[in-house]
Amino acid sequence: MTCRMTADLDPAQARPFLKWVGGKSQLLPELLKHLRADVRGYCEPFVGGGALFFHCAPWLRTRRLPAAIADNNTQLVSSYSAVRDDVEAVIGALRSYAQRYNKSRRHAARKRVYAEIRAEQIPPAEHARVAARLIFLNRTCYNGLYRVNRRGQFNAPMGRYTNPTLCDADNLRACAAILKGVRTVAGDFEATSEYVGRGDFWYADPPYVPLSASSDFTSYTKDPFGPAEQERLAALARRLKKRGIVVLLSNSDTPLVRKLYKSGFDTRVVRARRAINSKTDRRGPVGELLIW
Ligand SMILES: C[S@@+](CC[C@H](N)C(=O)[O-])C[C@H]1O[C@@H](n2cnc3c(N)ncnc32)[C@H](O)[C@@H]1O
């Protein structure tokens, strides 16, 4: 990797600007145990809201280590690029969405504005507007859930918030500072193998193996992440490890995951978590596996 980070604003204050389902903030202390002091770079192929990335970024930056964040959600990656390259334009567009939404406090009126903004088709090249719309929807939709239909159109319903913070300009500017010099890549996780090298830290937090047919969490995305993708990921992790890359993965503790990483990897169960959006919620906690 060749990118380098530069200073602008106080990066130590940057917090993820999106809440993301499957976000890893609760697991940070466990993940950090695997980030060796001698790593030479950082790469996250399923960055989502970037809980680990934002936490580590000041440390990476102090050491002038290159970093790359990737995801196959193109709107998400465009948002990172826009915040990095033109944060004031993102803030401006987000403020105008916020004004429209805050014009009325009535739920029905807000719901109409939400539906209008959700239906907007923004040309992909307009990164700042793409980012503002995604942040707006993320702040106002039900549980911050990113859900799309088969055509890839965002279709999560509006949540019930009295006074959501729609535009946290200070945090967005701190995020812009932390993202300077960070490579942002939209695409399949396998492409990250092209730009990681010996000694780099590569952390993969994929959509989880469903715990049961009814907890098919992967159905929230246009491109499902099924057993074939899990196998492809395990094969990639194996190849990267052979190349001297410091790999770390998290996944649900299921027979398939155990089987895929049975040989050539170490594993440990790190905390109890519950299946999301499924009846299995009521069946109690399940393990989460760290793999390296
Ligand atoms: C569990 S979330 C990651 C959460 C993240 N660790 C966080 O802290 O917010 C999984 C992510 O993988 C992305 N994804 C799904 N399929 C992918 C693929 N084939 N290649 C790359 N990213 C993919 C999704 O868009 C989603 O953002």
Side-chain angles (χ1 to χ4, degrees):
M1 284 188 275
T2 54
C3 41
R4 286 280 179 267
M5 291 172 231
T6 54
D8 265 323
L9 286 153
D10 185 2
Q13 285 171 13
R15 297 178 316 278
F17 58 86
L18 296 165
K19 28 180 185 169
W20 212 248
V21 172
K24 279 292 156 296
S25 43
Q26 282 178 43
L27 213 58
L28 287 176
E30 296 299 339
L31 299 177
L32 290 168
K33 289 179 188 164
H34 294 263
L35 186 59
R36 293 186 341 214
D38 61 349
V39 296
R40 296 172 61 176
Y42 181 98
C43 178
E44 226 190 299
F46 302 92
V47 71
L52 183 63
F53 166 73
F54 280 105
H55 188 86
C56 304
W59 180 85
L60 296 167
R61 192 163 174 276
T62 311
R63 285 163 182 74
R64 302 184 66 75
L65 296 179
I69 53 176
D71 201 287
N72 76 345
N73 182 329
T74 49
Q75 296 204 359
L76 173 68
V77 175
S78 285
S79 301
Y80 283 120
S81 307
V83 168
R84 179 193 60 199
D85 300 335
D86 200 355
V87 70
E88 296 308 324
V90 176
I91 292 170
L94 190 50
R95 281 190 173 142
S96 67
Y97 283 141
Q99 264 168 16
R100 277 165 68 185
Y101 179 87
N102 286 326
K103 224 176 194 164
S104 168
R105 288 202 164 257
R106 284 180 37 244
H107 185 73
R110 286 185 162 181
K111 214 169 156 185
R112 261 196 309 278
V113 173
Y114 177 85
E116 278 166 26
I117 295 172
R118 192 177 70 171
E120 272 182 18
Q121 305 257 6
I122 300 173
E126 292 185 32
H127 287 193
R129 280 184 61 212
V130 169
R133 177 176 167 274
L134 182 65
I135 298 168
F136 170 83
L137 293 173
N138 182 258
R139 297 274 164 154
T140 49
C141 75
Y142 179 74
N143 269 351
L145 181 68
Y146 189 92
R147 191 183 70 181
V148 293
N149 62 20
R150 287 206 180 132
R151 279 168 291 157
Q153 293 156 338
F154 188 85
N155 69 354
M158 189 173 92
R160 281 195 178 264
Y161 306 97
T162 323
N163 195 14
T165 304
L166 298 177
C167 182
D168 182 347
D170 287 345
N171 186 49
L172 282 168
R173 291 186 181 116
C175 289
I178 216 74
L179 285 163
K180 288 277 177 285
V182 172
R183 183 171 184 167
T184 51
V185 187
D188 183 68
F189 65 87
E190 220 162 336
T192 56
S193 74
E194 289 164 25
Y195 47 83
V196 282
R198 176 169 284 279
D200 286 346
F201 177 72
W202 181 88
Y203 168 55
D205 181 35
Y208 285 176
V209 169
L211 297 161
S212 72
S214 62
S215 69
D216 187 358
F217 188 38
T218 59
S219 61
Y220 289 110
T221 59
K222 186 163 62 70
D223 307 306
F225 203 92
E229 282 71 32
Q230 295 287 355
E231 277 174 32
R232 203 157 57 80
L233 175 61
L236 174 65
R238 206 173 288 280
R239 291 200 301 278
L240 294 181
K241 232 184 133 168
K242 282 205 183 113
R243 281 173 45 200
I245 289 141
V246 182
V247 310
L248 176 67
L249 302 99
S250 40
N251 214 319
S252 48
D253 188 3
T254 62
L256 173 63
V257 176
R258 291 244 171 212
K259 188 171 142 221
L260 288 174
Y261 297 95
K262 198 168 167 195
S263 66
F265 292 91
D266 290 309
T267 58
R268 68 187 169 105
V269 179
V270 281
R271 90 180 145 105
R273 51 169 274 130
R274 282 162 189 268
I276 298 165
N277 288 319
S278 100
K279 290 188 185 115
T280 52
D281 267 354
R282 281 174 237 143
R283 289 186 208 147
V286 290
E288 171 139 359
L289 213 54
L290 281 195
I291 303 150
W292 68 97

